Amino acid sequence: HSNNRLRPQSITRVRVMAGILHTPCCSRSDLEVLLMDRFLEYLNHHPTLSLATAIVAIIAIAYELWQRQQNASGISLNQAIVLHNKGALILDVRTDAEFASGHIFEARHIVLDKLADSLDSIKKYREKTVIVCCESGARSGQAAKTLKAQGFQNVFNLNGGLAAWRQENLPLTSQTHNA
C-alpha cells in the first residue's frame, strides 16, 4: 500500500536534515537557525499542543516551587536521628490516639490545635533544635511555621512524617515521656 511509503517531501526533508547534521560545511549557527525555524514551524502548525505543553510546564514548575517552599525547613529521617541523638526536641503534633499508638522515643506531644496555647511548655527550646512531626508531614509543616513565627530559631519538619519513619522500620514506643 502507498500508506506505508514516505511522501517525496518527507524524504527530501529527512535527507536535508541528515545532510546538514553530518556535513562539516555548515556552521553551527546555520544549524541553530534551521532548528529554530523548524521549531517555530512546529509551533505554528500545532498551536493547541504547544499551548498545552506550555501550560503543563508552568504547572510543573509552580508545583516544584511550592513544594520547595513547603519543605524549606524539611529534614530527612537520617538527619533527624542525628539531631535527636545530639539533644534536639522531637515535637509530635498528632492527635492523642495517634500518639498513643506509637511515637518516637522521648518525643514531646502537643496536639496541633493546642500548640499556640502550649508554647510556654517548650519555650526553653527557642534557641535549640526542634524537629516537628506528624503522620505525613502536613500538620507538622503548619506547626513549624507557627513555631518560627513565635521566635523558635531552628525548627525542622520531619519529611514524610511518622509514615516514612515506619516505612524504614525505625523504632517507635508507646510509653509516655514527660520532659
Side-chain angles (χ1 to χ4, degrees), residues 57-72:
I58 289 169
I59 290 171
I61 291 169
Y63 178 75
E64 287 297 321
L65 291 174
W66 178 78
Q67 282 289 90
R68 285 186 183 171
Q69 181 185 15
Q70 294 298 314
N71 288 327

Side-chain angles (χ1 to χ4, degrees), residues 11-169:
I11 293 172
T12 304
R13 284 185 186 151
V14 169
R15 286 182 184 156
V16 168
M17 286 299 290
I20 289 174
L21 292 175
H22 297 293
T23 304
C25 68
C26 295
S27 68
R28 182 180 171 112
S29 62
D30 290 341
L31 179 61
E32 290 171 353
V33 169
L34 176 67
L35 292 175
M36 183 55 77
D37 286 344
R38 296 290 291 153
F39 177 68
L40 293 174
E41 180 182 345
Y42 176 83
L43 293 177
N44 191 32
H45 288 299
H46 306 286
T48 307
L49 185 58
S50 301
L51 180 62
T53 302
I55 289 171
V56 168
I58 289 169
I59 290 171
I61 291 169
Y63 178 75
E64 287 297 321
L65 291 174
W66 178 78
Q67 282 289 90
R68 285 186 183 171
Q69 181 185 15
Q70 294 298 314
N71 288 327
S73 61
I75 190 170
S76 72
L77 297 175
N78 290 335
Q79 292 169 320
I81 292 167
V82 169
L83 290 175
H84 184 44
N85 289 337
K86 290 182 179 179
L89 169 68
I90 303 286
L91 179 62
D92 193 323
V93 296
R94 297 177 301 153
T95 65
D96 291 333
E98 288 174 313
F99 186 78
S101 70
H103 55 271
I104 298 171
F105 182 69
E106 295 183 339
R108 290 286 302 270
H109 179 234
I110 301 175
V111 178
L112 178 61
D113 297 338
K114 299 176 183 174
L115 181 61
D117 298 329
S118 303
L119 291 175
D120 282 346
S121 68
I122 58 171
K123 66 183 175 185
K124 68 180 181 182
Y125 292 96
R126 279 190 200 278
E127 305 294 324
K128 297 180 182 178
T129 302
V130 178
I131 302 167
V132 189
C133 66
C134 67
E135 188 60 32
S136 66
R139 289 176 283 177
S140 55
Q142 294 173 341
K145 286 181 183 178
T146 299
L147 292 173
K148 285 181 181 180
Q150 294 300 318
F152 285 78
Q153 301 294 317
N154 299 312
V155 180
F156 298 98
N157 181 14
L158 181 63
N159 289 336
L162 281 237
W165 189 273
R166 273 190 223 92
Q167 186 175 1
E168 293 296 322
N169 294 318

